[in-house]
Amino acid sequence: MSGDSNVRPVIIKRKKVVAGDGHHGGAWKVAYADFVTAMMAFFMLMWLLNATTEKQRKGIADYFSPTIAMARVSGGGSGALGGNSVFAENTLPRMGTGSTSLKPQADASDKASSTSGEDADKAAEDESFEVVEDMLMGRSGESMVADELLEHIVTRVTDEGLVIELFETENARLFEGDSKPTALLKDLSRIIVEASYMVTNPIAVEAHTSAYPIVIAENPAWDVSAQRAAMFREQVISSGLESERVRRVTSYADKEPIRSNRMDIRNNRIEIVFLRE
């Protein structure tokens, strides 16, 4: 028994050898990172195309366009895929992606001067419109319109030009029946012609009517407004206005009322617009 106790125990160690780790190495991580980066760039591009205007996209393209002239590079093909470099000297301006030494972009000072010139023209037109308004409405102390006619005139300056509105009242109508002008409208047309001598702007004539009762089988508003617009054009021309200055004649029927009650007599009106040039 003593001999057996002196025998040292035998310990067996077994090592588990695996060729590579459980994920076959780390190369897949690099490929996955490249894929995620490419997808992020793709979705960023899609977002930019959707969230920016054409002018903003052109600005982004100009930012990445080269600032030095580059030689034209061509391949052996032809057509749309003929091998032309997008950075070629004659390609950038044609594609609208930048400027080159041959075709530089417009100078900012030129754009600024053009904008300032347009503002100056608009301001000059506004001043001439104010002169016409003052003479019509008597703001300068003298009016070319009698008091009984003045209550039928409203003026306003808009982006389109000077709008002179001639409207009816319960006691003074502009038309007899559908489109026959009254003496009041004839007097007002002569005033418009006299006012037109102060400016050279082209003129637009617009006719509006109040709404007709719903019980009518056929709504005559369109026909009536068209007849009134054409009639007023003939009236101002016969009063001395040059026919070439009438740029547009439009009928709106009862589609643009100025009173909440669409049947209000005040919606019966003729609008003369001195258009901006």
Side-chain angles (χ1 to χ4, degrees), residues 4 56 58 72 89 106 119 126 155 167 178 181:
D4 294 338
Q56 291 172 332
K58 187 177 184 302
R72 187 174 71 86
E89 182 79 6
D119 293 340
D126 288 341
T155 63
F167 59 91
D178 288 341

Side-chain angles (χ1 to χ4, degrees), residues 115-265:
T115 303
S116 61
E118 292 177 358
D119 293 340
D121 293 340
K122 186 175 183 298
E125 277 190 327
D126 288 341
E127 290 181 1
S128 62
F129 289 157
E130 288 180 2
V131 173
V132 176
E133 282 188 299
D134 291 343
M135 292 301 296
L136 285 174
M137 310 306 294
R139 297 172 184 170
S140 59
E142 297 182 2
S143 174
M144 60 190 298
V145 185
D147 292 340
E148 62 272 14
L149 300 179
L150 189 60
E151 63 179 6
H152 296 275
I153 300 176
V154 172
T155 63
R156 61 182 182 276
V157 177
T158 66
D159 292 337
E160 188 178 19
L162 172 62
V163 180
I164 303 175
E165 180 182 311
L166 311 178
F167 59 91
E168 288 186 344
T169 63
E170 288 288 350
N171 300 323
R173 299 299 181 94
L174 299 179
F175 303 94
E176 295 178 1
D178 288 341
S179 59
K180 183 178 180 181
T182 62
L184 171 63
L185 184 59
K186 293 179 181 179
D187 292 338
L188 291 173
S189 65
R190 284 192 290 269
I191 293 171
I192 297 300
V193 173
E194 292 178 9
S196 69
Y197 297 151
M198 298 181 179
V199 292
T200 60
N201 302 69
I203 293 174
V205 176
E206 301 175 354
H208 303 261
T209 66
S210 57
Y212 286 81
I214 301 178
V215 295
I216 295 180
E218 294 183 3
N219 188 354
W222 284 110
D223 293 336
V224 170
S225 62
Q227 293 172 9
R228 291 180 177 181
M231 178 279 306
F232 190 80
R233 172 186 176 277
E234 296 175 358
Q235 184 66 43
V236 292
I237 291 176
S238 63
S239 297
L241 180 70
E242 298 178 356
S243 59
E244 293 78 9
R245 290 187 62 181
V246 181
R247 179 76 56 82
R248 186 180 74 233
V249 178
T250 312
S251 60
Y252 288 93
D254 56 353
K255 302 306 179 182
E256 293 188 3
I258 58 175
R259 293 289 178 87
S260 57
N261 179 9
R262 301 176 67 91
M263 297 182 65
D264 194 317
I265 193 66

